[in-house]
Amino acid sequence: MSTPFPKDFLWGGAIAANQAEGAYNEDGKGLAVTDFMEHGTVDTRKAGFTFTLKDDVYYPRHTAIDFYHRYKEDIALFAQMGFRVLRLSIAWSRIFRNGDDTQPNEKGLAFYENVFKECRKHGIQPLVTISHFEMPVNLVTKYNGWGNYETIGFFERYVQTIFTRYKDLVKYWIVFNEINAGVNDLKGNWPICCHTGMVLSEGCNRFQSIYQAIHHQFVAVAHTVKLCHDVIPDGKVGAMIAHIPMYPRTCDPDDIFYAFRSERNRGLLFLDVQANGEYPYYFEAYLSHQNVELDRRPEDLAKIKQNTVDFVAFSYYMSMAGSAHPEKYPKGEGNIFSGIKNPYLTASDWGWEIDPVGLRYSLNFLYDRYKKPLFIVENGFGAHDTIDADGAIRDDYRIDYLQKHLTEVGKALADGVDLMGYCTWGPIDIVSAGSGEMKKRYGFIYVDKDNDGNGTLERKIKQSFHWYRRIIATNGECLEQEE
């Protein structure tokens, strides 16, 4: 059977500015919330946190893997694999130092222009995330981040600036990385909400505050879509969520409805608004149940309705199981969304349950629901990689993971799903988003750096590099041969 992958399928990989660039205070860049994330901490939500850099603390993102100075070398390696697309993000504080500045930082604008030109020189399309968990600190401390309606205007100025500058270089855009991650801030009593950039006082209505901020982000998405279509007529804007499908643990009707409702509230709501242009009925009932009434201006709701996204993007690493009676089962591990353990699946060293068929299911489910082109913009396997005595890095476990997932992608294409492309997460080793560690490696390219920041930053090709190059060169045909 011939490969179902279309000839123009966008094969590539994805990185984020705060996990790769480094150069946190060079060439006019301002401080972002990620610049304060210490090694070994999950995020900036711990008790007593303040936006203060300490002399005796290691901040992994300050140097990361130094993509800022080594991007030509790294993009050349991506080109050797045959990349057709590279997803990367722009650091907002590299363009507008404080977020509310009236004039952009020219050195920041020039850096990304050079990066995008380097990509295009190698035949690689940039897919750019506009906001990837790195809000300028000034917008948090002065305006309370996305909790303030005024932030929409600052974001619109930023978007207008980058669209105008890069309109001839970038055609594919994502507004917010994993916008649904904001619901994680509903848990606990931490003062800093990383995903919405808010500082919440003790005793406040967290549901009210966080969903109001999320609404402001939805308005910002609508403004971004309108700006893109005006400034870049052939440009495309996508919504992006972390998609972790939840299966009912049993066929108990209570488990089935629990999983169904959980998946809507954790992720589908965020696509329903951006792809369909309006809040779904179930969200209104959810707000009422939480005694929450959002300030949603009629003109903003009209903007959301008129400016829906062009495609639906998502990350996929794992699935999870859920039950209306979770106390009966062992708890799952892994991501910010966990659930309970699925006895039919194995897990990675970090507790992420490995479910290739879940990717095929997700593709069919999302395409059936939204009927818009889909884009897998993150998928990958974090693992402890070691260098053998002969200097080789034999990461056959990563090849096995990706092989099985891409085989299911091929099946979804044969099912009739409209899929634009596929990006592995971290095609080069980067700093972990959650803990700042380097030992959780995703890349086809090894970077000589350890958890404490030691190393030469030398790049070294892994076994999986050659495997992915073959996948791209054959446009997925070799997947059938290796099944």
Side-chain angles (χ1 to χ4, degrees), residues 293-311:
E293 186 173 342
L294 300 182
D295 177 13
R296 291 178 282 185
R297 306 178 186 187
E299 62 271 25
D300 290 336
L301 293 175
K303 179 81 76 172
I304 290 171
K305 183 69 174 177
Q306 295 161 6
N307 297 280
T308 57
V309 294
D310 302 301
F311 64 92

Side-chain angles (χ1 to χ4, degrees), residues 384-399:
H384 299 277
D385 293 336
T386 58
I387 303 176
D388 292 344
D390 62 359
I393 304 171
R394 296 177 173 87
D395 56 339
D396 52 322
Y397 40 83
R398 180 169 294 110
I399 294 172

